[in-house]
Amino acid sequence: MNHLIIQRMNMKRLVPLALVLLVAACSRPEQSASGDPAGAAAENGGLIVEVPSGVAPTLSGTCNIEAVDGVVVQDMNPIAVKARRFPVAGWLIDEVGGDAPSELVVRIASQSGDGRVWQHKVVPAIERPDVQQAHGGAAGALKSGFSSEIDASALDAGTYRLTLSYRRGGQSVVCDNGRAVILK
């Protein structure tokens, strides 16, 4: 009998917690299949917060984030950026068309396990004859380079994965070459 009373008391304590978790889960942004490069988006301090579309992106390997915060990236180790505003530079080619997309985003994914991803729009326009040559001399590959400053002042301290994403025929394409930053 005492065992039943203890179970009921524990249940009374768990019900408020369950309600809080249920409300938190229901208050998440709705998923959307909008035209944004990787799902629906909302503005957040200069970055756009991504809401996953629920559709798995196509993966690509024809990109390189070559420099972060002025450091040429040589390995997979995260780079501790000096400030919350930092430059990123690299290149991207659509492997199907052999050219640079007209617009792409740098995706900044929290590695804390909360699933949050932010986007920073970039327009590839820097001439990269080295990339063009490495991709068979395709004319559309010449202006595949990009350089942009990311304002991450709205983000919490932590480690963030950097990937590139663009649209190809309504499908999100993501290129990941293992880059990450540490924000302090």
Side-chain angles (χ1 to χ4, degrees), residues 30-120:
E30 291 182 22
Q31 293 185 355
S32 170
S34 73
D36 289 2
E43 194 71 30
N44 180 20
L47 294 176
I48 297 173
V49 182
E50 175 183 330
V51 179
S53 68
V55 178
T58 300
L59 299 178
S60 170
T62 54
C63 75
N64 192 9
I65 297 176
E66 297 173 316
V68 177
D69 202 21
V71 175
V72 175
V73 184
Q74 308 235 347
D75 54 30
M76 301 296 213
N77 293 325
I79 295 174
V81 294
K82 296 178 238 95
R84 291 300 182 100
R85 292 181 74 93
F86 58 92
V88 296
W91 59 269
L92 183 137
I93 293 184
D94 179 3
E95 58 201 2
V96 171
D99 57 359
S102 60
E103 187 177 279
L104 64 106
V105 294
V106 177
R107 299 174 76 236
I108 305 143
S110 173
Q111 299 298 282
S112 68
D114 62 10
R116 293 181 302 166
V117 178
W118 292 265
Q119 299 178 11
H120 174 80

Side-chain angles (χ1 to χ4, degrees), residues 1-11:
M1 183 70 159
N2 286 340
H3 182 57
L4 265 176
I5 293 171
I6 292 171
Q7 280 183 336
R8 285 185 186 171
M9 287 174 55
N10 285 338
M11 288 300 286

